[in-house]
Amino acid sequence: QVQPVESGGGLVQPGGSLRLSCTCAVSRSMFSLYDIRWYRQPPGKDRELVATKTSSGYTNYADSVKGRFTISRDTAVNTVYLQMNSLKPEDTAVYYCNANDRSTGRAYWGQGTQVTVSS
């Protein structure tokens, strides 16, 4: 199944850390062609791009998370991680994984995982 599956969300105190995972149940060769992006949607706000990891290794971050979040890719298990450190209450959102298949141009969304940063 191409649809990405996110995991790792939860409740954390300000200054804490979480690691999100995005896994695609496809072959390794297919996954190698996917650009993966993490988006988030805070309560009452629009969805925004947080981090990008392309199939060629290009990495990019939103200004609001630079220096705190790290996106990485493990091709052996078809998973992209989002390590989130120094979390702030404004990081509270539903985090979504988007997988874009470069060979077809089709994009697939996960169901999202809730991250809540609160004391």
Side-chain angles (χ1 to χ4, degrees):
Q1 184 175 353
V2 179
Q3 182 179 21
V5 177
E6 304 100 334
S7 62
L11 173 64
V12 63
Q13 292 186 342
S17 298
L18 282 174
R19 188 178 77 161
L20 306 183
S21 300
C22 170
T23 301
C24 296
V26 297
S27 68
R28 289 186 188 179
S29 60
M30 287 186 64
F31 186 72
S32 68
L33 297 175
Y34 286 4
D35 295 339
I36 303 294
R37 293 176 174 84
W38 282 99
Y39 289 78
R40 68 185 180 186
Q41 187 163 15
K45 297 184 179 181
D46 293 334
R47 195 172 295 189
E48 60 183 9
L49 179 61
V50 175
T52 297
K53 189 74 165 179
T54 69
S55 59
S56 60
Y58 170 78
T59 302
N60 195 34
Y61 300 94
D63 288 342
S64 59
V65 307
K66 280 182 181 176
R68 300 188 298 121
F69 289 13
T70 302
I71 189 170
S72 62
R73 190 176 189 123
D74 188 341
T75 55
V77 291
N78 288 3
T79 299
V80 171
Y81 301 101
L82 186 67
Q83 177 68 43
M84 306 186 297
N85 298 328
S86 302
L87 283 162
K88 306 175 181 180
E90 51 263 44
D91 294 318
T92 295
V94 178
Y95 284 71
Y96 296 92
C97 177
N98 174 277
N100 186 285
D101 184 345
R102 283 199 165 196
S103 67
T104 64
R106 295 187 64 181
Y108 306 91
W109 287 94
Q111 292 298 310
T113 184
Q114 176 70 46
V115 171
T116 302
V117 185
S118 176
S119 56

